[in-house]
Amino acid sequence: MRDRFAEQLKELNEELTSMGALCQEAIALSAKALTDGNMELAERVAEIEEEIDHKEREIENLCFKLLLQQQPVAGDLRTVSSALKMITDMERIGDQALDIAEIVRTANIHTSKDTHYIRDMALETIKMVTESVDAYVKKDADIARAVIRHDDVVDDYFNKIKTMLTDMFKKPDADAEYCLDLLMIAKYFERIGDHAVNIGEWVLYSLTGTHKK
């Protein structure tokens, strides 16, 4: 029975890693669509978001199977219940990557000069998502804590972008809709960072039994 549980737990880790990779791809494609103005990449994000939704249902079913059939206790129970919480945040990451892609598809975002901070911000959020899932698989509290601390970097980028857009908006020929589109995109990336923090906090809960919230 214990061997079967270990096999299913390994499968859970593999599925979570796969879902995390899809989230990373969705973020990266939405960011590249933004900086390159590539509509095909933006459309690809919608396909990946559907894959993320499908993966969420698969992992959810696996978690329920583990809970009902194996009846884990203590640390193992926290591991499975944390995975259920994590996939909710990962699904939201997919949604927000799609939100970014949809703005890119409909807005006239035309210059990489205005988007370089957002591109760098996207790279930092990808790092956070990658390492938050890695922390779960490796059962590494230090990685999880590093992810949580790294949110300050993403928030700093968001503040820089707000300052940049405020200055842009003050110009006589400012395009208000354009500024708001860029601000919304930056806000979605900031939220993705928040979801990575949530995942890191659930990793810590699975290891320590204590959750910040």
Side-chain angles (χ1 to χ4, degrees):
M1 181 70 76
R2 186 66 193 178
D3 289 345
R4 176 59 179 156
F5 178 78
E7 289 175 7
Q8 289 179 314
L9 206 56
K10 181 182 177 183
E11 181 185 355
L12 175 60
N13 287 346
E14 291 171 350
E15 290 296 315
L16 278 168
T17 301
S18 176
M19 188 175 181
L22 288 170
C23 289
Q24 295 158 36
E25 186 179 4
I27 301 166
L29 285 176
S30 62
K32 190 166 179 58
L34 170 68
T35 55
D36 294 359
N38 189 322
M39 297 302 103
E40 291 182 3
L41 292 180
E43 290 169 3
R44 171 67 181 139
V45 175
E47 297 173 10
I48 296 173
E49 194 272 336
E50 289 184 5
E51 293 180 50
I52 291 171
D53 287 348
H54 180 69
K55 188 67 71 176
E56 180 193 24
R57 291 190 292 272
E58 287 184 340
I59 295 173
E60 191 176 60
N61 288 336
L62 178 57
C63 287
F64 287 144
K65 191 183 296 183
L66 279 162
L67 291 172
L68 294 172
Q69 295 180 357
Q70 305 294 342
Q71 298 181 338
V73 295
D76 289 336
L77 178 60
R78 292 198 305 270
T79 295
V80 178
S81 59
S82 295
L84 278 169
K85 296 290 188 179
M86 287 167 57
I87 59 174
T88 299
D89 280 295
M90 292 165 79
E91 190 274 336
R92 290 297 297 139
I93 288 170
D95 287 346
Q96 282 151 7
L98 179 59
D99 289 334
I100 293 165
E102 288 181 343
I103 292 175
V104 172
R105 287 172 61 187
T106 57
N108 182 27
I109 298 174
H110 45 76
T111 167
S112 60
K113 179 183 177 182
D114 296 337
T115 58
H116 69 283
Y117 278 143
I118 299 177
R119 178 201 61 207
D120 293 343
M121 185 182 184
L123 292 174
E124 298 300 335
T125 61
I126 292 170
K127 178 180 178 181
M128 289 177 70
V129 172
T130 302
E131 293 188 354
S132 64
V133 177
D134 198 37
Y136 177 86
V137 173
K138 293 180 177 177
K139 298 185 183 300
D140 193 317
D142 288 338
I143 296 176
R145 293 189 184 99
V147 170
I148 294 167
R149 290 194 300 270
H150 202 74
D151 191 46
D152 290 340
V153 175
V154 172
D155 288 345
D156 186 51
Y157 271 114
F158 183 58
N159 289 331
K160 288 178 180 176
I161 292 163
K162 285 195 294 184
T163 299
M164 179 192 75
L165 293 175
T166 299
D167 292 341
M168 189 186 301
F169 194 76
K170 290 176 181 177
K171 295 178 180 178
D173 59 345
D175 184 337
E177 187 173 355
Y178 177 74
C179 292
L180 287 173
D181 284 334
L182 287 180
L183 180 61
M184 285 301 301
I185 288 170
K187 185 61 181 176
Y188 283 130
F189 278 121
E190 190 264 343
R191 287 178 181 173
I192 289 171
D194 289 342
H195 286 297
V197 167
N198 289 346
I199 294 170
E201 289 175 348
W202 284 113
V203 171
L204 290 179
Y205 169 75
S206 72
L207 297 172
T208 67
T210 302
H211 191 276
K212 181 180 177 181
K213 298 175 183 177

